[in-house]
Amino acid sequence: MKPIRKVVIPVAGLGTRVLPATKSIPKELLPVVDRPLIDYVVDEARDAGIENFILVTGRGKGAIEDYFDHAYELEATLKEKSKTKILADVEKTIPTAGAVSYTRQQAPLGLGHAVWCARELIGDEPFAVSLPDEIVSHRPGFLRQMVDAYEKVGGNLVAVEEVPQEDTSKYGVIAPKSRDGNLIEMTGMVEKPAPADAPSNFRIIGRYVLQPDIFKLLENQGKGAGGEIQLTDSMNSLNEQQAFHACICEGGIYDCGSKLGWLQANVALGLKNKELSGDFSDYIRSQMK
Ligand code: G1P
C-alpha cells in the first residue's frame, strides 16, 4: 500500500460567504485567534505524516505564497529588537524549501476541476485533499485519523458528520450501506441534494483520501450541482470501482467559510489557547451576564 505523502489544498475560491472581509485578502488568510486558516490546515496535514503541500491557487491569492516565504525586513527588525519569541513564531510558518508547490486554477469551474489541476503534481499515488474553510480543533486531527483508517482499509475515504436533514442541500451527502465502528461503506454520494432527496444526513466534510484514478474520472466529468465540475460526482463513479469509506472522525470541525462558523472557531480555539484562555474565558463570562 502506497503511503499518503501529498495533500491538495484548493485555495482559489472567492470566499463570497464571508464578504466583505475577503474583498481584498484571500479567505484562507482570515485569522482564527493568531494564525490564518491555511496554517491550521497545513499543520493538520503535517501531523498526518504528509510532506508535500500542493496549493491550487487563483488570481488575487499571491499573499498566500508570501505567507509561506521569508519576510526578510520583518525578520531582521524583530531580530534587531530582540523580539525572540515573536521571531520564532514567524519563522515557524516557513516550511522546508520545496515542500509547498503551487498550481493555478485559471477559471472557477468547481472543486472537481480544482483538484484535477493538481494531477501532474500528484502523479500516480494516493493523496489527501483538505478544504481550508474547515478547521479541526481536535488532536489527532481528522487527516491523521483518516490516514490511520486508510492504512487499515485502503482505497478511498471521505470524512463525514451528521447534520440536520434540512442542511443537506449545502453539502455532499453519502448513501450509507453498512457501518463498522467509525467507518461506513457507501452505495454512493450526491452533491447538495434537496432535503427530501438526501440519501442520509451524513454530510461530507472537506477532508478526503483518494486514489489517483480519480483524475481520469475528473477529466471527463460534466457539470453537476450549481453548474460546476463536482468532486463528489467523480467520487460517486469511483465508488463503483474501488473500496470507498466514510469516516466519522473524533472532534469538532468549524466551517470558517461562514461568518458564524468563523466566530465559533475563534471562541473555541481562543478558549484553548495557552496564552489567552484565562483572560478570554473571564471576558466571555462577563458578556453572558
Ligand atoms: C464542497 C464539496 C461538498 C462538501 C463541502 C464541505 O462544497 O463539494 O461535497 O460537503 O465542500 O465543506 P462547497 O463548500 O465548495 O460548496
Side-chain angles (χ1 to χ4, degrees):
M1 187 186 286
K2 286 188 187 170
I4 310 294
R5 302 185 310 128
K6 300 180 181 176
V7 62
V8 175
I9 308 178
V11 297
L14 293 176
T16 45
R17 289 184 296 152
V18 278
L19 276 168
T22 49
K23 187 179 164 194
S24 57
I25 59 158
K27 71 170 166 181
E28 297 76 14
L29 293 186
L30 283 178
V32 170
V33 188
D34 56 357
R35 302 193 280 146
L37 285 176
I38 189 78
D39 208 77
Y40 288 89
V41 172
V42 165
D43 250 13
E44 184 197 338
R46 201 179 279 121
D47 284 347
I50 290 169
E51 298 151 7
N52 289 288
F53 310 92
I54 298 165
L55 271 57
V56 183
T57 70
R59 268 180 292 284
K61 299 283 182 162
I64 298 176
E65 294 189 36
D66 292 341
Y67 183 77
F68 290 116
D69 198 358
H70 282 283
Y72 286 110
E73 259 183 56
L74 176 67
E75 287 166 40
T77 309
L78 291 172
K79 205 167 181 179
E80 204 182 287
K81 299 199 164 165
S82 302
K83 302 214 181 249
T84 333
K85 163 79 174 70
I86 306 175
L87 180 62
D89 287 344
V90 169
E91 283 173 341
K92 254 198 281 175
T93 62
I94 302 162
T96 315
V100 185
S101 314
Y102 302 89
T103 186
R104 201 141 159 165
Q105 187 187 24
Q106 293 140 326
L109 298 178
L111 177 61
H113 179 259
V115 171
W116 181 74
C117 287
R119 68 200 177 282
E120 297 295 342
L121 293 167
I122 295 291
D124 188 26
E125 59 180 282
F127 62 101
V129 177
S130 272
L131 308 187
D133 284 4
E134 292 179 294
I135 61 168
V136 175
S137 60
H138 188 268
R139 287 286 164 106
F142 279 23
L143 270 190
R144 172 82 266 166
Q145 297 177 48
M146 291 171 78
V147 166
D148 288 348
Y150 166 78
E151 282 165 4
K152 284 185 203 129
V153 295
N156 304 269
L157 294 117
V158 287
V160 291
E161 70 170 357
E162 284 191 85
V163 291
Q165 194 78 17
E166 64 265 25
D167 285 347
T168 54
S169 59
K170 296 184 196 162
Y171 305 108
V173 174
I174 64 155
K177 185 161 73 182
S178 59
R179 180 169 173 176
D180 180 10
N182 67 338
L183 289 178
I184 301 175
E185 265 193 79
M186 296 175 272
T187 55
M189 54 204 109
V190 51
E191 184 66 17
K192 303 197 170 76
D197 304 330
S200 76
N201 64 340
F202 281 104
R203 71 102 173 176
I204 299 174
I205 290 170
R207 298 291 184 278
Y208 312 77
V209 168
L210 296 169
Q211 296 297 320
D213 311 78
I214 193 77
F215 292 122
K216 273 182 252 129
L217 297 164
L218 284 171
E219 184 148 359
N220 300 311
Q221 185 62 57
K223 289 178 181 172
E228 296 190 345
I229 298 172
Q230 296 290 355
L231 179 61
T232 305
D233 292 340
S234 288
M235 291 195 302
N236 189 44
S237 305
L238 192 57
N239 189 26
E240 288 166 18
Q241 306 165 13
Q242 298 185 1
F244 221 123
H245 288 89
C247 184
I248 304 167
C249 297
E250 244 177 81
I253 186 127
Y254 300 98
D255 177 9
C256 299
S258 80
K259 291 178 187 178
L260 181 62
W262 178 79
L263 279 173
Q264 288 168 336
N266 275 286
V267 172
L269 295 174
L271 289 173
K272 280 189 180 184
N273 184 285
K274 273 190 220 131
E275 280 170 36
L276 302 170
S277 62
D279 291 346
F280 188 48
S281 59
D282 289 348
Y283 176 73
I284 298 262
R285 247 179 254 123
S286 75
Q287 294 298 301
M288 306 296 287
K289 283 178 192 151

PDB file of all heavy atoms in Angstrom, residues 111 131 134 171-172 191-192 203-206 208 230 232, ligand 1:
ATOM      1  N   LEU A 111     -14.904  22.522  -7.575  1.00  0.00           N
ATOM      2  CA  LEU A 111     -13.918  21.810  -6.742  1.00  0.00           C
ATOM      3  C   LEU A 111     -13.268  20.647  -7.498  1.00  0.00           C
ATOM      4  O   LEU A 111     -12.063  20.410  -7.381  1.00  0.00           O
ATOM      5  CB  LEU A 111     -14.612  21.312  -5.462  1.00  0.00           C
ATOM      6  CG  LEU A 111     -13.758  20.489  -4.513  1.00  0.00           C
ATOM      7  CD1 LEU A 111     -12.562  21.298  -4.001  1.00  0.00           C
ATOM      8  CD2 LEU A 111     -14.596  19.988  -3.342  1.00  0.00           C
ATOM      9  N   LEU A 131      -9.934  20.954   2.471  1.00  0.00           N
ATOM     10  CA  LEU A 131     -10.522  22.250   2.131  1.00  0.00           C
ATOM     11  C   LEU A 131     -10.282  23.195   3.310  1.00  0.00           C
ATOM     12  O   LEU A 131     -10.699  22.904   4.431  1.00  0.00           O
ATOM     13  CB  LEU A 131     -12.024  22.100   1.844  1.00  0.00           C
ATOM     14  CG  LEU A 131     -12.402  21.031   0.814  1.00  0.00           C
ATOM     15  CD1 LEU A 131     -13.898  21.099   0.491  1.00  0.00           C
ATOM     16  CD2 LEU A 131     -11.588  21.166  -0.467  1.00  0.00           C
ATOM     17  N   GLU A 134     -12.513  24.664   6.411  1.00  0.00           N
ATOM     18  CA  GLU A 134     -12.891  23.898   7.588  1.00  0.00           C
ATOM     19  C   GLU A 134     -11.647  23.571   8.408  1.00  0.00           C
ATOM     20  O   GLU A 134     -10.692  22.994   7.893  1.00  0.00           O
ATOM     21  CB  GLU A 134     -13.617  22.622   7.162  1.00  0.00           C
ATOM     22  CG  GLU A 134     -14.962  22.967   6.561  1.00  0.00           C
ATOM     23  CD  GLU A 134     -15.736  21.743   6.087  1.00  0.00           C
ATOM     24  OE1 GLU A 134     -15.273  21.094   5.148  1.00  0.00           O
ATOM     25  OE2 GLU A 134     -16.787  21.469   6.654  1.00  0.00           O
ATOM     26  N   TYR A 171     -24.317  20.593   1.193  1.00  0.00           N
ATOM     27  CA  TYR A 171     -23.130  19.727   1.209  1.00  0.00           C
ATOM     28  C   TYR A 171     -23.224  18.550   0.238  1.00  0.00           C
ATOM     29  O   TYR A 171     -24.288  18.263  -0.310  1.00  0.00           O
ATOM     30  CB  TYR A 171     -22.954  19.123   2.615  1.00  0.00           C
ATOM     31  CG  TYR A 171     -22.882  20.118   3.734  1.00  0.00           C
ATOM     32  CD1 TYR A 171     -23.948  20.262   4.625  1.00  0.00           C
ATOM     33  CD2 TYR A 171     -21.752  20.902   3.903  1.00  0.00           C
ATOM     34  CE1 TYR A 171     -23.872  21.173   5.678  1.00  0.00           C
ATOM     35  CE2 TYR A 171     -21.670  21.816   4.946  1.00  0.00           C
ATOM     36  CZ  TYR A 171     -22.739  21.942   5.832  1.00  0.00           C
ATOM     37  OH  TYR A 171     -22.654  22.839   6.863  1.00  0.00           O
ATOM     38  N   GLY A 172     -22.102  17.805   0.143  1.00  0.00           N
ATOM     39  CA  GLY A 172     -22.149  16.474  -0.433  1.00  0.00           C
ATOM     40  C   GLY A 172     -22.683  15.537   0.645  1.00  0.00           C
ATOM     41  O   GLY A 172     -22.364  15.711   1.817  1.00  0.00           O
ATOM     42  N   GLU A 191     -24.140  15.382  -4.559  1.00  0.00           N
ATOM     43  CA  GLU A 191     -23.776  16.752  -4.173  1.00  0.00           C
ATOM     44  C   GLU A 191     -25.025  17.606  -3.987  1.00  0.00           C
ATOM     45  O   GLU A 191     -25.881  17.687  -4.872  1.00  0.00           O
ATOM     46  CB  GLU A 191     -22.854  17.361  -5.251  1.00  0.00           C
ATOM     47  CG  GLU A 191     -22.321  18.750  -4.951  1.00  0.00           C
ATOM     48  CD  GLU A 191     -21.356  18.819  -3.753  1.00  0.00           C
ATOM     49  OE1 GLU A 191     -20.834  17.774  -3.322  1.00  0.00           O
ATOM     50  OE2 GLU A 191     -21.144  19.931  -3.243  1.00  0.00           O
ATOM     51  N   LYS A 192     -25.109  18.217  -2.847  1.00  0.00           N
ATOM     52  CA  LYS A 192     -26.148  19.197  -2.492  1.00  0.00           C
ATOM     53  C   LYS A 192     -27.575  18.745  -2.838  1.00  0.00           C
ATOM     54  O   LYS A 192     -28.287  19.424  -3.589  1.00  0.00           O
ATOM     55  CB  LYS A 192     -25.821  20.548  -3.118  1.00  0.00           C
ATOM     56  CG  LYS A 192     -24.443  21.058  -2.690  1.00  0.00           C
ATOM     57  CD  LYS A 192     -24.210  22.522  -2.922  1.00  0.00           C
ATOM     58  CE  LYS A 192     -22.935  22.994  -2.244  1.00  0.00           C
ATOM     59  NZ  LYS A 192     -21.695  22.635  -2.882  1.00  0.00           N
ATOM     60  N   ARG A 203     -23.138  14.369   6.074  1.00  0.00           N
ATOM     61  CA  ARG A 203     -22.598  15.270   5.057  1.00  0.00           C
ATOM     62  C   ARG A 203     -21.085  15.084   4.960  1.00  0.00           C
ATOM     63  O   ARG A 203     -20.411  14.737   5.939  1.00  0.00           O
ATOM     64  CB  ARG A 203     -22.954  16.713   5.399  1.00  0.00           C
ATOM     65  CG  ARG A 203     -22.223  17.307   6.592  1.00  0.00           C
ATOM     66  CD  ARG A 203     -21.113  18.225   6.120  1.00  0.00           C
ATOM     67  NE  ARG A 203     -20.488  18.949   7.227  1.00  0.00           N
ATOM     68  CZ  ARG A 203     -19.453  19.741   7.079  1.00  0.00           C
ATOM     69  NH1 ARG A 203     -18.910  19.917   5.898  1.00  0.00           N
ATOM     70  NH2 ARG A 203     -18.910  20.354   8.109  1.00  0.00           N
ATOM     71  N   ILE A 204     -20.573  15.337   3.769  1.00  0.00           N
ATOM     72  CA  ILE A 204     -19.128  15.220   3.541  1.00  0.00           C
ATOM     73  C   ILE A 204     -18.430  16.469   4.085  1.00  0.00           C
ATOM     74  O   ILE A 204     -18.834  17.598   3.792  1.00  0.00           O
ATOM     75  CB  ILE A 204     -18.821  15.029   2.036  1.00  0.00           C
ATOM     76  CG1 ILE A 204     -19.489  13.743   1.520  1.00  0.00           C
ATOM     77  CG2 ILE A 204     -17.321  15.029   1.777  1.00  0.00           C
ATOM     78  CD1 ILE A 204     -19.377  13.534   0.014  1.00  0.00           C
ATOM     79  N   ILE A 205     -17.401  16.226   4.890  1.00  0.00           N
ATOM     80  CA  ILE A 205     -16.540  17.299   5.411  1.00  0.00           C
ATOM     81  C   ILE A 205     -15.376  17.449   4.429  1.00  0.00           C
ATOM     82  O   ILE A 205     -15.042  16.502   3.713  1.00  0.00           O
ATOM     83  CB  ILE A 205     -16.030  16.882   6.819  1.00  0.00           C
ATOM     84  CG1 ILE A 205     -17.187  16.917   7.830  1.00  0.00           C
ATOM     85  CG2 ILE A 205     -14.872  17.745   7.282  1.00  0.00           C
ATOM     86  CD1 ILE A 205     -16.844  16.295   9.165  1.00  0.00           C
ATOM     87  N   GLY A 206     -14.729  18.605   4.414  1.00  0.00           N
ATOM     88  CA  GLY A 206     -13.663  18.831   3.432  1.00  0.00           C
ATOM     89  C   GLY A 206     -12.344  18.132   3.729  1.00  0.00           C
ATOM     90  O   GLY A 206     -11.281  18.760   3.769  1.00  0.00           O
ATOM     91  N   TYR A 208     -10.405  14.390   2.460  1.00  0.00           N
ATOM     92  CA  TYR A 208     -10.521  13.237   1.566  1.00  0.00           C
ATOM     93  C   TYR A 208      -9.188  12.510   1.472  1.00  0.00           C
ATOM     94  O   TYR A 208      -8.132  13.133   1.546  1.00  0.00           O
ATOM     95  CB  TYR A 208     -10.879  13.692   0.144  1.00  0.00           C
ATOM     96  CG  TYR A 208     -12.015  14.689   0.033  1.00  0.00           C
ATOM     97  CD1 TYR A 208     -11.848  16.036   0.338  1.00  0.00           C
ATOM     98  CD2 TYR A 208     -13.270  14.284  -0.419  1.00  0.00           C
ATOM     99  CE1 TYR A 208     -12.890  16.955   0.210  1.00  0.00           C
ATOM    100  CE2 TYR A 208     -14.321  15.196  -0.562  1.00  0.00           C
ATOM    101  CZ  TYR A 208     -14.116  16.529  -0.228  1.00  0.00           C
ATOM    102  OH  TYR A 208     -15.158  17.434  -0.358  1.00  0.00           O
ATOM    103  N   GLN A 230     -18.041  18.864 -10.120  1.00  0.00           N
ATOM    104  CA  GLN A 230     -18.078  18.488  -8.704  1.00  0.00           C
ATOM    105  C   GLN A 230     -17.191  17.276  -8.418  1.00  0.00           C
ATOM    106  O   GLN A 230     -17.291  16.248  -9.094  1.00  0.00           O
ATOM    107  CB  GLN A 230     -19.524  18.175  -8.280  1.00  0.00           C
ATOM    108  CG  GLN A 230     -20.466  19.369  -8.359  1.00  0.00           C
ATOM    109  CD  GLN A 230     -20.169  20.437  -7.304  1.00  0.00           C
ATOM    110  OE1 GLN A 230     -19.309  20.254  -6.428  1.00  0.00           O
ATOM    111  NE2 GLN A 230     -20.871  21.564  -7.392  1.00  0.00           N
ATOM    112  N   THR A 232     -17.562  15.432  -5.861  1.00  0.00           N
ATOM    113  CA  THR A 232     -18.483  14.396  -5.375  1.00  0.00           C
ATOM    114  C   THR A 232     -18.969  13.501  -6.526  1.00  0.00           C
ATOM    115  O   THR A 232     -19.090  12.282  -6.348  1.00  0.00           O
ATOM    116  CB  THR A 232     -19.701  15.057  -4.675  1.00  0.00           C
ATOM    117  OG1 THR A 232     -19.204  15.913  -3.652  1.00  0.00           O
ATOM    118  CG2 THR A 232     -20.639  14.033  -4.074  1.00  0.00           C
TER     119      THR A 232
HETATM  120  C1  G1P B   1     -17.629  21.279  -1.012  1.00  0.00           C
HETATM  121  C2  G1P B   1     -17.996  19.895  -1.534  1.00  0.00           C
HETATM  122  C3  G1P B   1     -19.070  19.277  -0.651  1.00  0.00           C
HETATM  123  C4  G1P B   1     -18.616  19.242   0.796  1.00  0.00           C
HETATM  124  C5  G1P B   1     -18.198  20.655   1.237  1.00  0.00           C
HETATM  125  C6  G1P B   1     -17.550  20.587   2.600  1.00  0.00           C
HETATM  126  O1  G1P B   1     -18.735  22.145  -1.186  1.00  0.00           O
HETATM  127  O2  G1P B   1     -18.429  19.994  -2.865  1.00  0.00           O
HETATM  128  O3  G1P B   1     -19.352  17.976  -1.077  1.00  0.00           O
HETATM  129  O4  G1P B   1     -19.662  18.774   1.625  1.00  0.00           O
HETATM  130  O5  G1P B   1     -17.238  21.237   0.336  1.00  0.00           O
HETATM  131  O6  G1P B   1     -17.199  21.857   3.034  1.00  0.00           O
HETATM  132  P1  G1P B   1     -18.601  23.739  -1.199  1.00  0.00           P
HETATM  133  O7  G1P B   1     -18.447  24.163   0.221  1.00  0.00           O
HETATM  134  O8  G1P B   1     -17.395  24.067  -2.026  1.00  0.00           O
HETATM  135  O9  G1P B   1     -19.880  24.237  -1.804  1.00  0.00           O
END
